[in-house]
């Protein structure tokens, strides 16, 4: 229906939707800070930069639609009914999360899971979330929790990988069905949006959590019925060399230890075709944080992110160069950053 609205009306509708999201999330953040007893208050310079980057993100989102990178409908695809459905479970789960955080109990994982199947760094309650990444319940609650954390911009940030992806695919030799791999696809929210923007692509999702892969399969069931999924460690996969036209990864690297970050970059390089495009989105790092550096450092403490402090200084663009990529772009995107790189083409 929004496709029929004139430009000014749909812009206004979009901004009103995001303002409503923002106000609700800010109120909930305030309650959370009070309940958890967090004393941190961002300074006015932090708030000013966060506000400016937030406004820039919304403008960029609108511009991307106007430039034809993705359909207008994506801007209004907020799964409100789904969020309303899981909200009571999230609220019921909240006291357990607070107790876990207060006791610093990050090994509170489901007894029935065979933990030895996973690398040690993965066997923990990232974000203090119940069951870590290791249950269907966790996968069900994850999306709404992340949207709340990012003040209603999580899906907006995720879809910012689409323009560089589209440009990368259009600059490589034409393939009838370009293959795109999402490394650490989680519940599939990035792939779901790529499916609408690039309907001709064949999509692949990979994640170490079988429960999150299950959620991604369900989410993509109609939008991309032939999407393929793998439960694998991104550090070492059974995928063949030179397979994909593009590889994307969103919000993975801040959760990996140093060596695993490097292994994953090597693996992404290996499975990309020569000339293929890599698009990484993850938390901003010191290089572009400026005054929000303190805010990012708080995140490591408040949300049990043990590898995050090291991540902040382990520049993603350098990691890409180390394994052979040529980096085309690295820059901020609200509280995240985007790195775009190419695997060099074969010499003719
Ligand atoms: C913060 S979530 C991001 C998920 C998703 N990309 C998104 O935008 O919501 C991190 C994801 O990385 C996955 N993950 C962590 N370590 C991994 C590894 N070594 N190999 C594959 N997936 C991994 C987790 O299971 C989780 O789904």
């Amino acid at each position: 229906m929004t496709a029929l609205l004139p430009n000014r009306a749909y812009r206004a509708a979009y901004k009103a939707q995001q303002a409503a999201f923002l106000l609700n999330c800010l109120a909930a953040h305030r309650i959370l800070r009070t309940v958890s007893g967090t004393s941190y208050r961002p300074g006015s310079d932090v708030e000013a930069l966060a506000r400016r980057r937030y406004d820039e993100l919304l403008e960029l989102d609108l511009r991307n639609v106007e430039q034809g990178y993705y359909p207008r409908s994506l801007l209004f695809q907020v799964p409100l009914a789904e969020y309303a459905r899981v909200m009571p479970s999230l609220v019921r789960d909240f006291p357990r999360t607070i107790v876990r955080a207060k006791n610093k109990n990050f090994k509170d994982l489901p007894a029935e899971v065979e933990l030895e199947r996973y690398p040690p760094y993965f066997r923990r309650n990232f974000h203090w979330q119940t069951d870590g990444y290791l249950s269907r319940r966790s996968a069900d609650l994850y999306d709404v929790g992340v949207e709340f954390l990012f003040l209603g911009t999580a899906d907006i940030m995720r879809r910012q990988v689409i323009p560089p992806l589209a440009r990368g695919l259009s600059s490589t030799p034409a393939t009838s069905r370009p293959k795109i791999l999402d490394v650490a696809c989680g519940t599939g929210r990035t792939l779901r949006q790529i499916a609408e923007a690039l309907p001709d692509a064949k999509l692949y999702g990979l994640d170490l959590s079988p429960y999150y892969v299950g959620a991604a399969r369900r989410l993509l069931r109609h939008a991309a019925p032939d999407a393929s999924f793998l439960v694998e460690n991104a550090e070492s996969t059974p995928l063949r060399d030179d397979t994909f036209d593009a590889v994307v990864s969103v919000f993975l690297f801040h959760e990996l230890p140093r060596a695993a970050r490097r292994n994953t970059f090597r693996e992404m390089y290996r499975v990309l075709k020569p000339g293929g495009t890599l698009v990484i989105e993850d938390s901003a790092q010191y290089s572009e944080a400026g005054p929000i550096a303190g805010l990012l450092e708080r995140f490591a403490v408040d949300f049990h992110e043990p590898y995050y402090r090291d991540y902040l200084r382990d520049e993603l663009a350098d990691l890409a160069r180390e394994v052979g990529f040529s980096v085309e772009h690295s820059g901020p995107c609200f509280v995240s950053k985007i790195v775009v790189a190419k695997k060099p083409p074969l010499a003719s």
Side-chain angles (χ1 to χ4, degrees):
M1 203 181 77
T2 54
L4 303 176
L5 289 174
N7 261 358
R8 280 194 19 215
Y10 102 86
R11 279 181 153 259
Y14 170 72
K15 295 261 171 111
Q17 165 188 279
Q18 292 310 130
F21 231 135
L22 182 65
L23 288 175
N24 279 299
C25 292
L26 285 176
H29 275 236
R30 208 158 295 135
I31 295 169
L32 185 62
R33 276 208 299 268
T34 310
V35 175
S36 62
T38 304
S39 55
Y40 175 76
R41 295 278 176 283
S44 56
D45 54 341
V46 176
E47 282 187 350
L49 182 63
R51 182 77 222 191
R52 178 160 65 74
R53 288 202 180 156
Y54 174 88
D55 290 340
E56 283 168 3
L57 177 65
L58 300 197
E59 269 309 312
L60 181 62
D61 205 24
L62 288 162
R63 217 168 43 240
N64 287 337
V65 169
E66 284 148 15
Q67 292 179 352
Y69 283 116
Y70 39 83
R72 195 184 273 189
S73 55
L74 276 193
L75 273 52
F76 298 95
Q77 229 171 52
V78 182
L80 284 180
E82 173 64 12
Y83 292 169
R85 189 182 67 77
V86 301
M87 195 52 89
S89 313
L90 194 67
V91 172
R92 270 198 306 277
D93 189 49
F94 186 58
R96 296 179 63 191
T97 309
I98 294 287
V99 170
R100 196 175 297 119
K102 286 232 189 284
N103 296 336
K104 307 226 174 311
N105 180 8
F106 58 84
K107 295 272 177 199
D108 183 14
L109 297 170
E112 65 278 12
V113 171
E114 275 181 62
L115 292 176
E116 311 67 51
R117 293 174 55 181
Y118 302 97
Y121 61 81
F122 191 76
R123 304 175 203 161
R124 60 179 67 243
N125 303 84
F126 283 103
H127 324 131
W128 302 116
Q129 69 198 29
T130 299
D131 302 337
Y133 288 120
L134 291 169
S135 73
R136 171 144 187 189
R137 169 174 56 178
S138 158
D140 283 347
L141 299 184
Y142 174 82
D143 291 340
V144 69
V146 174
E147 272 304 350
F148 156 72
L149 174 70
F150 288 129
L151 308 171
T153 64
D155 271 354
I156 304 179
M157 286 195 282
R158 291 185 182 110
R159 61 179 169 259
Q160 300 318 308
V161 302
I162 294 174
L165 196 56
R167 288 193 290 267
L169 290 176
S170 68
S171 70
T172 45
T175 322
S176 57
R177 276 207 89 188
K179 291 182 177 166
I180 302 175
L181 171 68
D182 183 357
V183 173
C185 63
T187 56
R189 298 215 58 88
T190 305
L191 282 176
R192 172 76 182 76
Q193 301 193 81
I194 294 174
E196 291 220 11
L198 301 167
D200 295 335
K202 166 87 171 102
L203 302 181
Y204 297 79
L206 175 151
D207 199 283
L208 192 48
S209 165
Y211 309 97
Y212 280 58
V213 165
R217 265 188 223 284
R218 289 191 291 280
L219 187 68
L220 272 287
R221 200 172 32 208
H222 301 299
D226 71 345
S228 300
F229 291 93
L230 299 89
V231 178
E232 291 290 344
N233 187 337
E235 294 182 72
S236 165
T237 75
L239 297 164
R240 288 211 301 258
D241 293 358
D242 306 337
T243 300
F244 297 96
D245 298 276
V247 172
V248 297
S249 183
V250 178
F251 303 141
L252 168 66
F253 288 92
H254 70 279
E255 293 196 343
L256 298 181
R258 204 159 249 252
R261 274 180 227 133
R262 278 153 180 77
N263 293 340
T264 302
F265 263 95
R266 266 193 294 276
E267 193 64 358
M268 294 188 304
Y269 186 89
R270 184 183 71 74
V271 302
L272 257 177
K273 288 181 186 168
T277 302
L278 174 73
V279 186
I280 304 288
E281 175 157 32
D282 211 317
S283 161
Q285 297 181 290
Y286 281 134
S287 50
E288 58 275 306
I292 64 169
L295 192 69
L296 300 178
E297 285 164 359
R298 271 317 303 179
F299 178 66
V301 180
D302 292 341
F303 289 89
H304 186 59
E305 288 283 7
Y307 309 108
Y308 190 80
R309 273 180 182 273
D310 178 62
Y311 163 84
L312 286 174
R313 63 178 68 85
D314 197 16
E315 188 58 43
L316 289 177
D318 291 342
L319 287 182
R321 283 189 202 98
E322 264 174 39
V323 301
F325 283 106
S326 87
V327 174
E328 296 189 335
H329 168 85
S330 177
C333 174
F334 187 35
V335 290
S336 71
K337 73 188 290 181
I338 293 193
V339 176
V340 183
K342 284 266 184 196
K343 178 168 173 175
L346 291 176
S348 48

